[in-house]
Amino acid sequence: MSQACGVDFGTSNSTVGWHQANRPALLTLEQDKLTLPSVVFFNAEDEEVSYGRAALSNYLAGYEGRLMRSMKSLLGTSLMDGQTEVLGKSIAFRDLLGQFIGELKHRAETSAGQQFDYAVLGRPVHFIDDNKNADRIAQNTLEDIALETGFKEVHFQFEPIAAAFDYESRITKEELVLVADIGGGTSDFSLVRLSPERSHVLDRSADILSNGGIHIGGTDFDKYLSLAHIMPLLGLGGKLSNLTDIPSSYYYNLATWHTINQVYTQKVGRELADVYRDIQNPEYRMRFDRLINLVEDKDGHWLAIKAEEAKILLSDKDMVTLQLERLRSKQASTACSLTIEQTGLQSAIGHLSVSIANAVSAVIDDAGIRPDQVDTVFFTGGSSGVRGLRQQIAAIVPNARNVEGDLFGSIGAGLGLDAARRFA
């Protein structure tokens, strides 16, 4: 049996694929689930570590501790060299990533009933936009971490190319395919010529017409939806006594998954108290009091989950009402709720959608083909279901048919195929 697997370490969700005759392409990683949310929770009460859905469940149940999510977003940034406090001890962010990837490897091996010594890891087209040095550092860091978890050899494959391999396993004739992989942290695109006859060729470089991407994904949609509609409930947009704006940095940190914990320091707590005293408007004093209570209760991740929930629901609905029962103020004891309409989502993320569409056009231009020559758009990645975004991409290639892959599993399955070919 092959000792090779494909690892899709995602910003929001992770999968592990392999290629065995008459076996599913993805391995179960949490009970009967094929995905493992890329989440770690350090339970301070029981001094235990949990992962995935169990981590989110423990956090939302109110256990005291530290939740870590969107860890992949640290790769290639200066934060990767830093540390954070977990269960009273300092731990390097690099070690946190290693802990999660090691758990991912362990669960995959348990599910497969065998050891995996070799792996193809997925990577975005750009870890960091317009910075080749940071991109190289990000891949090297991820490679070092993977080797430290026990893999003997690893290779990398662009995530949209891996998704293309998964789609190619199901087609019957040659197609020119635009793979649109819109994940939690990045939106990546590849224009690839696929065919059943070429599927077993190891070197496919001649079939890849162009690659491109942008560091925008589902967590960015969550962030700007939160800033536009949720954070004003906590005082964003209000004024101090000198008519300057209430500092926005607290809200931006709370709306960004990997910086939420930065508002939980004693220094920020003192700053919030000072700002509160400088707000004269009673309405905004009440709203800012909600912010102070949210930070004291360390409910920032809960609020981010609520923003994500609204985004997901608005993929299918025209309107959603969020129950925000943890937003409380001494001046207002009534439960807080918020209604967001589809137009509100589109307004909040419109500038992101335009940037993503521009990235698609650039990939087509780089390939030197006309948009009407594209046969198929293959959508994958959990955030490709956001309403309006898919239509905007499809409008660029008017003659292409739209095909939806496994939004969370196509990349992992394709990486498993690639691993089987490389390490055969």
Side-chain angles (χ1 to χ4, degrees):
M1 298 179 71
S2 172
Q3 291 181 302
C5 67
V7 178
D8 177 22
F9 168 47
T11 303
S12 300
N13 292 278
S14 297
T15 61
V16 178
W18 67 336
H19 188 59
Q20 297 291 338
N22 303 316
R23 300 288 295 273
L26 295 176
L27 293 160
T28 56
L29 299 175
E30 188 173 20
Q31 298 177 338
D32 61 340
K33 306 296 185 185
L34 301 175
T35 61
L36 181 68
S38 304
V39 184
V40 184
F41 181 65
F42 297 89
N43 188 321
E45 298 179 30
D46 300 329
E47 295 188 353
E48 293 179 345
V49 181
S50 53
Y51 302 86
R53 295 169 186 81
L56 287 169
S57 177
N58 289 337
Y59 168 75
L60 292 174
Y63 287 102
E64 184 70 23
R66 185 75 180 272
L67 187 77
M68 304 295 295
R69 190 177 181 184
S70 294
M71 295 172 288
K72 184 179 179 180
S73 299
L74 299 172
L75 288 166
T77 73
S78 58
L79 288 174
M80 196 67 227
D81 298 323
Q83 297 184 330
T84 189
E85 186 174 309
V86 173
L87 303 181
K89 301 177 182 177
S90 291
I91 182 170
F93 285 118
R94 178 193 179 100
D95 293 337
L96 282 173
L97 265 70
Q99 196 165 336
F100 180 81
I101 293 174
E103 179 69 16
L104 195 60
K105 180 177 187 291
H106 168 72
R107 291 187 181 211
E109 290 175 335
T110 300
S111 179
Q114 68 168 69
Q115 181 173 316
F116 289 121
D117 292 330
Y118 309 99
V120 175
L121 272 65
R123 57 148 296 166
V125 175
H126 302 298
F127 280 103
I128 304 293
D129 292 340
D130 302 320
N131 191 330
K132 291 183 179 180
N133 184 56
D135 194 82
R136 176 182 53 79
I137 291 172
Q139 178 170 309
N140 290 345
T141 300
L142 187 54
E143 180 177 8
D144 291 343
I145 290 171
L147 293 172
E148 288 165 6
T149 65
F151 288 116
K152 295 179 180 178
E153 185 178 346
V154 298
H155 291 270
F156 285 89
Q157 181 59 268
F158 289 135
E159 288 158 358
I161 297 299
F165 291 157
D166 178 51
Y167 175 63
E168 188 176 49
S169 68
R170 300 191 294 278
I171 63 176
T172 58
K173 62 182 180 64
E174 182 177 298
E175 296 181 21
L176 181 57
V177 180
L178 173 67
V179 181
D181 169 28
I182 305 173
T186 59
S187 295
D188 295 316
F189 307 98
S190 292
L191 200 59
V192 193
R193 201 170 298 281
L194 303 177
S195 72
E197 294 76 21
R198 298 278 294 162
S199 62
H200 300 292
V201 176
L202 187 58
D203 183 3
R204 300 296 299 277
S205 55
D207 295 327
I208 302 171
L209 278 64
S210 62
N211 279 316
I214 190 168
H215 204 266
I216 294 174
T219 56
D220 298 289
F221 300 150
D222 301 341
K223 173 181 177 178
Y224 284 96
L225 179 65
S226 179
L227 289 170
H229 298 283
I230 298 177
M231 293 303 166
L233 298 175
L234 304 178
L236 179 62
K239 300 289 184 180
L240 301 177
S241 58
N242 63 1
L243 299 183
T244 60
D245 292 338
I246 294 174
S248 62
S249 59
Y250 312 120
Y251 305 103
Y252 274 83
N253 281 336
L254 276 173
T256 306
W257 276 104
H258 61 275
T259 60
I260 291 172
N261 290 305
Q262 293 182 16
V263 303
Y264 296 153
T265 66
Q266 292 181 353
K267 177 178 179 292
V268 170
R270 292 191 295 269
E271 290 176 2
L272 293 176
D274 290 339
V275 172
Y276 178 78
R277 286 190 289 269
D278 201 21
I279 300 173
Q280 301 300 316
N281 183 292
E283 173 67 21
Y284 277 96
R285 282 178 67 87
M286 182 271 291
R287 295 186 184 192
F288 201 81
D289 190 40
R290 288 176 180 157
L291 173 64
I292 292 174
N293 289 320
L294 182 88
V295 171
E296 288 178 348
D297 294 341
K298 294 182 172 62
D299 276 335
H301 289 91
W302 165 82
L303 194 63
I305 290 170
K306 285 293 184 179
E308 181 183 41
E309 175 187 321
K311 176 198 68 181
I312 293 171
L313 290 172
L314 285 168
S315 294
D316 299 317
K317 300 178 181 295
D318 293 326
M319 183 177 67
V320 62
T321 298
L322 295 179
Q323 299 303 323
L324 303 173
E325 66 280 355
R326 297 193 191 184
L327 295 190
R328 57 184 181 83
S329 168
K330 300 180 185 67
Q331 295 96 321
S333 59
T334 56
C336 190
S337 64
L338 174 66
T339 297
I340 306 175
E341 296 183 352
Q342 177 64 221
T343 53
L345 171 64
Q346 298 304 326
S347 175
I349 68 170
H351 65 296
L352 303 178
S353 298
V354 169
S355 296
I356 290 172
N358 289 340
V360 171
S361 295
V363 167
I364 295 172
D365 289 343
D366 288 345
I369 67 163
R370 300 190 313 274
D372 60 6
Q373 291 179 288
V374 177
D375 297 310
T376 306
V377 182
F378 182 69
F379 289 100
T380 188
S383 297
S384 68
V386 172
R387 195 192 300 187
L389 181 60
R390 186 175 295 193
Q391 290 83 345
Q392 197 163 359
I393 294 172
I396 298 171
V397 283
N399 294 341
R401 66 189 186 105
N402 296 336
V403 176
E404 181 177 293
D406 182 336
L407 297 188
F408 298 99
S410 288
I411 293 172
L415 291 171
L417 278 171
D418 198 21
R421 294 166 186 164
R422 288 175 186 259
F423 296 109

